[in-house]
Every structure is written in C-alpha cells, then in structure tokens.
Amino acid sequence: MNPQSLLKIDPNRLDAVNSVLLDPNSRVMKAFLDVVAKYGAPEEINRKHRESRKMENLFKQVEAKAPEYIKDLNWLIEQRDSGAFVSVADYRLKVKGEAAKTIKFKDEYAVTLEVSALQYFPWIRVIAEQAIANKTLVPGRFIAVRNMKESEADGDLPAIVAALDIIGASFVETLDTKGTDGSNPHLGGPATITGYFGGIGQPNEHALMWLDEFLYYYTHYGVQHVLNFNAGTILLGFMLYKLGVDIQFKISVFFGSDNPYHALWIMTMAKLFSRDDGTSPLIGFNWSNSINNETMELTADFRKALGFEKVVRFEHHITEPQKSIVIQPYNRRAELVEIADHVANIAAKHEGGDPEVDVTRAHLSDILDYFREKKEVIESGDWDNLQLNFMDKVAACNNSAHALTEKGLSFIAAKNLHK
C-alpha cells in the first residue's frame, strides 16, 4: 500500500464536524450567531455595508467629523480625472527607455505594491503630490494599524476609505481587539515576553469582541478588509463568510506563518468553508519575515490545486522598520525579483524605508509608533518624523517597482491613477 493513501480523509468525518456546526444547542455556535444577529440577517448586513461604502455617504461622515478633508478628497478626484499621474506604459518607458515598447511584461504575475502603515489621512495628499511631481507610483494596497476609535472620532477613517476608493487601492484595517487592548491581564511589557509566545490576540471572549467590532465597522464605514492573527478569529471569519456576509481578511505577519505546512492547514480550512463559487474571505496571506522563496513556491503549488491562486494573495515583507521587529539591515527585494516571474498573486509589502535611507533619519522608523496616540505624536514633535518615515516606505515601494520593471516584470499600483 502507498503510505500516502493513508492520508485520505473519509468524507464521513465531515459528519462529526457538521454535527457541531449545525447543533442548535452548541454554545459556541450560538454565541457566534448571536453576535451576527445584532447586525441583522446576512443580506441586511451586506446592504448596510454597501450603503456605508457609497462615496456620498462617506463624504457625509467626513463632513461631520473633519470638513477640512473635503477639499483634499475633491482635489484627489480632480487629479485622477485629469490624468495627472504617470501611466504604466510611460512609467515603463521611463525605466527601460524605447526597449519598453518591445518587452512583453509578465502581467499574469503582476506584484501588488503595498505599504504599511497608512496611519493618517493627510499623508495621502503628500503621496499623490510626490507621485505627480516625480512621475512615480502610488501603491495599490495600504495597511493601517492605528487605533480605530481614534481614527473614527477624528474623521480619518471615512476619509481614508473614500480616498482609497477614489484612487483604486485596496485597504486593510487593524481592529482594536488585537492584543494591545488588555485582553490578557497577565501580560505587560518586555518582562513578560515569554507569555506572548502563545498569542495575546483574542483570549476567552475577545474572539467574539473582534467579530462584533468587525461587523460594526463593516456596516458603519464600509470597512471590508481587516487583519487577522488568531486561529479562532480566522475560523470566525470563515464562518461569517460562509453565512453570506461579504467580509474579507488577510492573515497578519504576527500570526507567524513560516512554513508550507502551516499554510496548508489554513488553506485546507479555507477550502472547507469556501462558497460554491470557490471564493474565500482569506484574500491575503502575510508570511513571517523568516520564510524563503522555496516556501512560497511550495505553497503556490497547493494554493493552485485548491483553486485559490487568484483568491489568496501572498503578502511578503520586503522592508521593515529599523526598530522593534527584525534585525537590520532587512531588504528582500532581490528575492522578490527572483520569484515574481513564476509565482502569481504576490504583494510586496514595504513596512520600512530602504535600510540605508531609514538609518539616516533623526527618528528611526519603529513598529511601536503604530500604537501611539495621535495627541502624543503631535505633542512629542514626531508628527513630521512619522510622515517622513512613511514616505520612505513609499519610496522603497517605488524602488521595488523599478527593480521589477528592469527585469521585465509587472506591478499593480493604484489602478484608477496609473492606467
């Protein structure tokens, strides 16, 4: 007998799983459904989401909380509509010269240009102005890791959602139930670091709090994509989508997916809870910083076999902040160029500037800056410093686009700006 044949899962095993999922007396399932019911039936939840995501309704939210942002949103629309941004063809000519006209760029393997973290709305105009002036690119994907309630209160949240819809970039939020909310009362700072190894994110009732928070922002501000870094909340996301709620999420680097077997476990569950059309709410898979290209290549094989090649994007950190996350210098651009001609649906995530630039700044980029209050940032004098750190990330992202283009490879920038 072929030993591999012993791994076949008997379809009858699903009966036991379904007996839990469908048990009306199951307390965990009832608790899940009770949270969802607060927002209505799936069709009603999706309707609320679509309404809240309409541009006129986002503008109303901005007008009520930060009316000064309206002029910047209108300016962004004007620049987009006037064709102020460099086209993809002209960008390629800029990099490759006349040779660009004869190169068959590998668009089927286009790399999504991604930057983290877009903390404040005013930074968007700065990105756009520089892109227009320098004929560079606005990334096609952004992550935010700011306190949601603070961003909601000062109007940045609806303004950012509106702005990124205007430019045609995708956007991922980080909910406040992410472990820094006192969810584990036994953990503090570095003195308790070993306690974090088991995960701090959503202990006990916090998984359902994450679900509740997600549905709140989904229905009130049109937030569709969020970070997910706990096995329990990943399962909740799968079940919510299976019910018919059109949420999406990406697995965070903090989840620590660092080998193909870990990815196989997650994608197996994604397949089991996928819809009849083959889709899954898992649209982004952010790898640990420790993985190599072979791990992505191996995972790409079964990602395709599971029907997820166009559904689940591999998101890989190309650069990282100078402080509080990795040993520097850290720059994976050369590896990105190596893999980008044969593994599809990759995002190149830039969370720091290029190390040789980043290290020269008066305020070194720091992952812990994500968790600072806006008031404290301003009072400390770091507002301009954090903006500069962010623009260094955008510059690093453009450097990756340049490197890809040099090799005849393709990228995805903000699609409404760079035609």
Side-chain angles (χ1 to χ4, degrees), residues 114 116 141 143 145 172 174 226-230 234 249-259 262 282 284-291 313-321 324-326 330 332 349-351 367 370-371:
E114 180 175 324
S116 179
R141 187 163 173 79
I143 315 300
V145 194
V172 180
T174 307
V226 300
L227 282 179
N228 209 332
F229 43 86
N230 177 277
I234 289 170
F249 64 82
K250 78 165 215 162
I251 288 176
S252 167
V253 67
F254 291 122
F255 192 49
S257 295
D258 58 1
N259 63 73
H262 192 280
L282 173 60
F285 197 99
N286 205 153
W287 291 101
S288 163
N289 292 309
S290 57
I291 71 146
R313 180 191 300 108
F314 290 163
E315 303 196 13
H316 187 40
H317 283 81
I318 307 305
T319 56
E320 286 283 21
S324 309
I325 189 164
V326 294
Y330 177 100
R332 312 290 292 276
K349 185 177 183 184
H350 299 79
E351 197 133 26
I367 201 76
Y370 293 171
F371 306 101

Side-chain angles (χ1 to χ4, degrees), residues 58-101:
L58 288 170
F59 265 61
K60 288 177 183 176
Q61 295 268 21
V62 175
E63 187 72 53
K65 295 173 179 175
E68 67 275 17
Y69 288 168
I70 296 295
K71 68 178 187 303
D72 288 334
L73 289 170
N74 285 328
W75 175 87
L76 199 57
I77 292 171
E78 290 166 5
Q79 301 307 309
R80 178 199 65 188
D81 293 348
S82 68
F85 298 86
V86 67
S87 68
V88 172
D90 286 345
Y91 178 84
R92 287 169 171 172
L93 280 171
K94 178 184 170 186
V95 175
K96 298 292 290 181
E98 289 298 309
K101 295 179 180 178

Side-chain angles (χ1 to χ4, degrees), residues 118-413:
L118 176 57
Q119 301 294 78
Y120 305 105
F121 171 75
W123 292 355
I124 294 176
R125 179 154 182 167
V126 180
I127 302 171
E129 288 175 339
Q130 287 199 12
I132 292 170
N134 301 325
K135 297 189 182 304
T136 52
L137 303 167
V138 176
R141 187 163 173 79
F142 291 91
I143 315 300
V145 194
R146 188 177 162 205
N147 180 280
M148 291 289 285
K149 284 298 181 187
E150 183 182 83
S151 182
E152 177 187 21
D154 67 12
D156 272 27
L157 176 57
I160 289 174
V161 174
L164 297 186
D165 276 355
I166 289 167
I167 71 175
S170 62
F171 177 50
V172 180
E173 268 289 2
T174 307
L175 300 176
D176 289 340
T177 44
K178 57 180 177 284
T180 55
D181 57 346
S183 57
N184 189 329
H186 306 293
L187 299 183
T192 56
I193 190 65
T194 54
Y196 288 80
F197 294 162
I200 59 168
Q202 285 88 21
N204 309 312
E205 73 279 7
H206 283 259
L208 294 177
M209 291 169 62
W210 176 91
L211 175 67
D212 198 344
E213 187 183 7
F214 192 173
L215 285 168
Y216 171 79
Y217 288 108
Y218 180 78
T219 55
H220 285 75
Y221 294 94
V223 172
Q224 187 180 18
H225 306 170
V226 300
L227 282 179
N228 209 332
F229 43 86
N230 177 277
T233 53
I234 289 170
L235 180 60
L236 286 171
F238 286 149
M239 293 195 299
L240 186 60
Y241 190 75
K242 183 73 168 171
L243 284 183
V245 182
D246 296 330
I247 55 96
Q248 295 175 330
F249 64 82
K250 78 165 215 162
I251 288 176
S252 167
V253 67
F254 291 122
F255 192 49
S257 295
D258 58 1
N259 63 73
Y261 302 97
H262 192 280
L264 179 57
W265 167 55
I266 295 295
M267 290 191 198
T268 297
M269 291 302 295
K271 189 66 177 180
L272 290 174
F273 282 93
S274 62
R275 291 183 182 171
D276 291 344
D277 63 2
T279 60
S280 168
L282 173 60
I283 60 163
F285 197 99
N286 205 153
W287 291 101
S288 163
N289 292 309
S290 57
I291 71 146
N292 55 29
N293 278 358
E294 185 181 21
T295 285
M296 277 196 284
E297 291 167 339
L298 291 168
T299 304
D301 290 343
F302 61 76
R303 179 184 65 169
K304 187 172 184 178
L306 290 169
F308 286 155
E309 185 173 71
K310 294 182 179 179
V311 176
V312 181
R313 180 191 300 108
F314 290 163
E315 303 196 13
H316 187 40
H317 283 81
I318 307 305
T319 56
E320 286 283 21
Q322 282 294 306
K323 297 176 67 177
S324 309
I325 189 164
V326 294
I327 296 172
Q328 291 285 359
Y330 177 100
N331 186 334
R332 312 290 292 276
R333 186 173 294 122
E335 293 168 72
L336 170 69
V337 172
E338 288 176 3
I339 200 170
D341 68 346
H342 60 281
V343 173
N345 204 3
I346 290 177
K349 185 177 183 184
H350 299 79
E351 197 133 26
D354 281 353
E356 64 273 17
V357 174
D358 225 349
V359 76
T360 67
R361 301 307 186 193
H363 178 87
L364 298 180
S365 61
D366 190 340
I367 201 76
L368 298 182
D369 284 336
Y370 293 171
F371 306 101
R372 297 169 66 181
E373 292 184 2
K374 181 179 179 180
K375 181 174 181 288
E376 183 272 323
V377 170
I378 294 171
E379 290 177 349
S380 70
D382 275 340
W383 177 261
D384 290 339
N385 289 328
L386 297 194
Q387 179 177 291
L388 180 58
N389 291 154
F390 179 75
M391 294 309 297
D392 285 342
K393 301 175 187 188
V394 175
C397 192
N398 270 275
N399 289 341
S400 292
H402 192 283
L404 290 165
T405 305
E406 280 279 8
K407 295 293 186 180
L409 301 172
S410 191
F411 57 78
I412 297 172

